[in-house]
Amino acid sequence: MKVSDFIADFLSKKGIKSVFELSGGMITHILDSLRQTTDIHIVTMHHEQAAAFAAEGFARVKGIPGVALATSGPGATNLLTGIGSCYFDSVPAIFITGQVNTHEQKADRPIRQLGFQETDIVSMAKPITKATFLVNDASDIESVFENAFEIAMGGRPGPVLIDIPMNVQREQIEITGNVETIVENFNVDKEMILKLIQAIKNSKAPLILAGHGIRVSRSQELFDSFVEQVKIPVITSLLGLDTIPYDDPLRVGFIGSYGNRWANIAFGECDLLIVLGARLDIRQTGADTKFIENRNIYHIDCESGEINNRVKGCHPIVCDLGLFFKSFASFEHLQKFNLKEDWYRRIDSLKRQWPDTSELSVKGINPNYFVHELSKSSKLAKVFLADVGSHQMWASQSLELQRGQRFLTSGGMGAMGFALPAAIGACLGLHNAPVVVMIGDGCMQINLQELQTIIRNKLNIKIIVFNNQSLGMIRQFQDSYFESRYQSTYWGYSAPNFEKVAQAYDINSKTISSENEIFDALNWLWSSENEESPLLLQVMIEPHTNTYPKIAFGKPITEMEPFSKPIEMEGT
């Protein structure tokens, strides 16, 4: 069997229905094999970074590795941002790059390059992958691909890169079917679970912090049962936003640097914190972690290094979350948990005291109000995606996610330009089910070219461009620390009319600039004649609209702007 035919057959047998790529000479054998021997949908993107993000979106909705291909040199290096995004947000992915022929590789020669576009992508990608492989021997290809998939999905998932020289792709090999793969195993500390059960019974103000690890470990249903059983209110991280429905009585809200004010206050007042698949990073806790270290914390994560890292004194339970939930449920005879009524009423009073739609005093459209209305009208949407910036935080603060709706954004990498191509992958992964992209004018201009991919593939993607004609989150940072000198965010920056841009791509579009236009615009977005079509709605936001509440940097997370002022300059 030809190596490229094996690769195509392997991907097909693993259930991969779509791969994302931008063609180049060093991957033509693989592309030809995919086309000739499988029914895999080859999705041609217009930039390799976008192909990587599309693979990430596909993986996050399907729960299997997304696959992106790129040619050697600039094609491979353009994948790196998307590879890093998958690595930091624990997304399984396989990135396949073409490499120059083995006889054209410089090897140990003291030169920069021998073959045209020769680039050592394996060394470059190594710090942001779970594994990298350069396959110079065709006989290794079977074991490399089997292990790559096991590594990508095992433990804390992540990306794997496979670099294959062009001459290796066209060699003939024999398939054995006998490949030993690497398996990661976990054990559960049952004594620690018994202590946790007692801690829950003794607590007066417990909270669960739901992180992305719940989705990553494919244990959403087990988490639902766990919450129903223990009756503990739930705060979420940015990437854990979709782990609990908006209307669930036990949902508190989104915490962190731009979290819901009431949720951050509850975070500061709890006496027991159960951390499920979240890293307690600086965006979740703020720079001052002393406020959180004076309480009982049980931290469950599949990586021991994430526990007692920034926040000290946590009780560690190192295991896969699915295994934890099953083990916890096995102690059913010891469990009878009651809702802490006083604590529940306290949280409810905080919600009523600090509504998210009242944090801003704005001219024109209040973005938090708009997000609520968008949520209510978008019941058909299977996925909401947010890019990075002010609109990402407005979305996180105010989205009303239903059970089963997903929320995707770039967390650890915080990559502008993520949402539009990731929506392509998510939409294809869900067989063209409707998805909603929320994106700022700055982010929109990074992978704007993928509008052509959307219209070519007739994808049911509704694009909401929050156009404040600035890079708003950084502009707000300049208000705080640079005496409102808006270099490169408002001064020397501009954005086009995205309604006209969409029309150039034959995508129907509309613009609104006042709140009395919202109702008609959302009806247009989901009207029966537009139900299965890509659309773009440009929402004009006043350029000086801030994102509040925001942690007063250097202070505990319970103290937030604009009522409290930062005492340090943010480092992140």
Side-chain angles (χ1 to χ4, degrees), residues 1-146:
M1 178 182 262
K2 184 181 174 184
V3 165
S4 60
D5 288 345
F6 164 78
I7 294 168
D9 182 63
F10 178 90
L11 295 177
S12 181
K13 288 177 178 176
K14 289 293 184 182
I16 304 300
K17 300 299 184 184
S18 299
V19 299
F20 306 90
E21 53 80 32
L22 180 56
S23 185
M26 298 299 109
I27 55 170
T28 49
H29 282 285
I30 300 173
L31 293 178
D32 188 61
S33 292
L34 286 167
R35 177 60 187 258
Q36 296 286 355
T37 66
T38 76
D39 59 359
I40 291 173
H41 184 191
I42 303 170
V43 186
T44 297
M45 309 292 286
H46 294 276
H47 195 288
E48 292 89 356
Q49 183 191 97
F53 286 143
E56 179 177 354
F58 179 92
R60 286 172 68 167
V61 300
K62 294 292 286 182
I64 61 176
V67 177
L69 295 88
T71 194
S72 59
T77 58
N78 282 343
L79 289 174
L80 287 171
T81 299
I83 293 174
S85 183
C86 289
Y87 186 67
F88 296 134
D89 287 349
S90 308
V91 178
I94 305 295
F95 293 94
I96 303 170
T97 52
Q99 185 54 271
V100 299
N101 296 314
T102 52
H103 66 271
E104 296 176 310
Q105 294 173 24
K106 71 182 183 70
D108 295 329
R109 295 180 180 91
I111 57 175
R112 296 188 180 186
Q113 185 185 60
L114 183 62
F116 172 64
Q117 292 188 331
E118 180 191 6
T119 304
D120 185 2
I121 193 63
V122 164
S123 296
M124 293 180 185
K126 194 177 291 291
I128 51 171
T129 54
K130 289 188 73 178
T132 56
F133 299 93
L134 171 59
V135 189
N136 276 328
D137 186 340
S139 65
D140 293 335
I141 202 78
E142 185 180 5
S143 63
V144 164
F145 269 81
E146 287 288 0

Side-chain angles (χ1 to χ4, degrees), residues 509-521:
S509 57
K510 188 184 286 287
T511 298
I512 61 174
S513 56
S514 63
E515 288 193 349
N516 60 17
E517 297 176 283
I518 293 175
F519 180 78
D520 287 342

Side-chain angles (χ1 to χ4, degrees), residues 486-504:
Y486 300 134
Q487 181 56 50
S488 304
T489 58
Y490 193 50
W491 306 342
Y493 170 86
S494 61
N497 182 335
F498 293 100
E499 180 181 356
K500 293 182 178 179
V501 171
Q503 290 168 1

Side-chain angles (χ1 to χ4, degrees), residues 45 50 53-58 385 408 417-427 437:
M45 309 292 286
F53 286 143
E56 179 177 354
F58 179 92
L385 298 99
L408 309 184
F418 163 86
L420 197 67
I424 292 170
C427 190
V437 172

